[in-house]
Amino acid sequence: MKKRIVIKLSGRVFGIDNVKVLKDYAQFLVKISKVCQPIVIAGGGNIARHYISHARSSGADESTLDELGIEISRLNAKLLIYALKNKAYSHPPTTLQEVRHAVDDGLIVVAGGLHPGQSTNGTAALIAEKVKAEQFLNATDVDGVYDMDPNKYKKAKKFKRIDMKNLKNMLVQEDSVAGGYDLMDIVALKIIERSKIKTRILKANPKIIEKAIKGSDVGTEIILPSK
């Protein structure tokens, strides 16, 4: 059986101007599917944030906003499934059980969100746990974890490795409203920790993701407690 690699893809990949980018990802996934089985979780990105902010201004509650984000992430997943043609499972699974069945087919599986109250990062970690993935790659808009926001501060330093405790402390300050999570969230970290899932946060770029799958030290590796 091929090793299973879970890849959480930033919602930005599915942006309106990114038709070529999506095709590049599809080609890349087909190529690496010869050596591993990719399970991709699509983020909602700016399109989800657009819908969420509109609905929030109309007074929708947070769980409704989460459901809206999940719908958008599943539409994003469908775009990638269409680009993959017959190499992908035919639709985004909507439960963990369905994810497991889909993975057993041996095709590339592309999912969106699953449950309200959970970011797509949390969903990706749960899926990695469920399918016993060899590695979880969180492909984001930044190329790793920094000590401060690299988009705002030029002095920001990137961590090659960061231990779980430090990362948790950094994330406690983060936002948990619908559409707000980016790098990782506490739910995702708890799952990674309890199941000792090898995890790396890296730039959403096919070449960089391929390097990580082949064992290169790219992005930021999360160091798990040894106990």
Side-chain angles (χ1 to χ4, degrees):
M1 193 176 77
K2 286 179 192 165
K3 62 180 181 179
R4 290 165 176 173
I5 307 275
V6 167
I7 304 165
K8 156 72 205 312
L9 265 191
S10 161
R12 186 169 291 185
V13 169
F14 304 90
I16 290 159
D17 315 324
N18 282 359
V19 176
K20 183 186 181 307
V21 172
L22 212 51
K23 289 204 170 83
D24 290 347
Y25 269 100
Q27 280 177 342
F28 152 70
L29 288 165
V30 169
K31 179 179 152 192
I32 61 155
S33 69
K34 295 178 175 68
V35 294
C36 66
Q37 184 181 16
I39 298 110
V40 180
I41 293 80
N46 287 335
I47 300 168
R49 282 189 273 278
H50 165 76
Y51 276 85
I52 286 167
S53 72
H54 266 277
R56 185 178 278 128
S57 69
S58 303
D61 62 81
E62 288 295 315
S63 61
T64 300
L65 300 177
D66 275 341
E67 284 169 359
L68 203 50
I70 288 169
E71 295 276 348
I72 303 297
S73 66
R74 286 178 182 163
L75 287 173
N76 284 346
K78 283 183 177 180
L79 287 179
L80 184 51
I81 288 168
Y82 301 150
L84 285 162
K85 303 191 168 68
N86 62 348
K87 302 290 184 187
Y89 187 72
S90 62
H91 62 275
T94 57
T95 65
L96 275 177
Q97 206 53 39
E98 198 189 339
V99 170
R100 225 193 58 203
H101 288 312
V103 165
D104 287 342
D105 275 3
L107 295 165
I108 298 166
V109 176
V110 190
L114 297 179
H115 308 292
Q118 219 174 59
S119 72
T120 39
N121 294 327
T123 298
L126 268 176
I127 288 173
E129 181 178 68
K130 190 73 174 173
V131 304
K132 297 183 168 58
E134 173 132 335
Q135 202 175 3
F136 169 27
L137 302 174
N138 189 6
T140 71
D141 301 338
V142 289
D143 63 346
V145 180
Y146 285 77
D147 57 355
M148 52 183 99
D149 186 343
N151 297 318
K152 290 182 189 162
Y153 304 100
K154 284 207 168 74
K155 294 187 305 188
K157 287 195 180 71
K158 189 174 105 178
F159 298 101
K160 269 295 208 190
R161 289 174 184 72
I162 185 165
D163 68 48
M164 183 60 87
K165 191 175 167 202
N166 287 351
L167 189 51
K168 273 186 187 165
N169 289 340
M170 284 170 70
L171 290 181
V172 167
Q173 285 88 45
E174 291 289 311
D175 220 347
S176 66
V177 296
Y181 346 75
D182 195 4
L183 213 54
M184 269 288 186
D185 60 16
I186 295 296
V187 174
L189 292 183
K190 282 182 175 165
I191 296 159
I192 290 160
E193 192 170 12
R194 76 183 180 191
S195 286
K196 302 276 183 281
I197 302 164
K198 196 171 147 193
T199 302
R200 200 172 274 283
I201 297 169
L202 70 177
K203 182 86 171 166
N205 173 303
K207 288 189 174 73
I208 292 169
I209 297 169
E210 185 170 4
K211 280 181 181 172
I213 290 169
K214 290 179 173 171
S216 283
D217 196 11
V218 289
T220 301
E221 184 188 353
I222 298 176
I223 303 299
L224 299 164
S226 49
K227 272 190 252 174

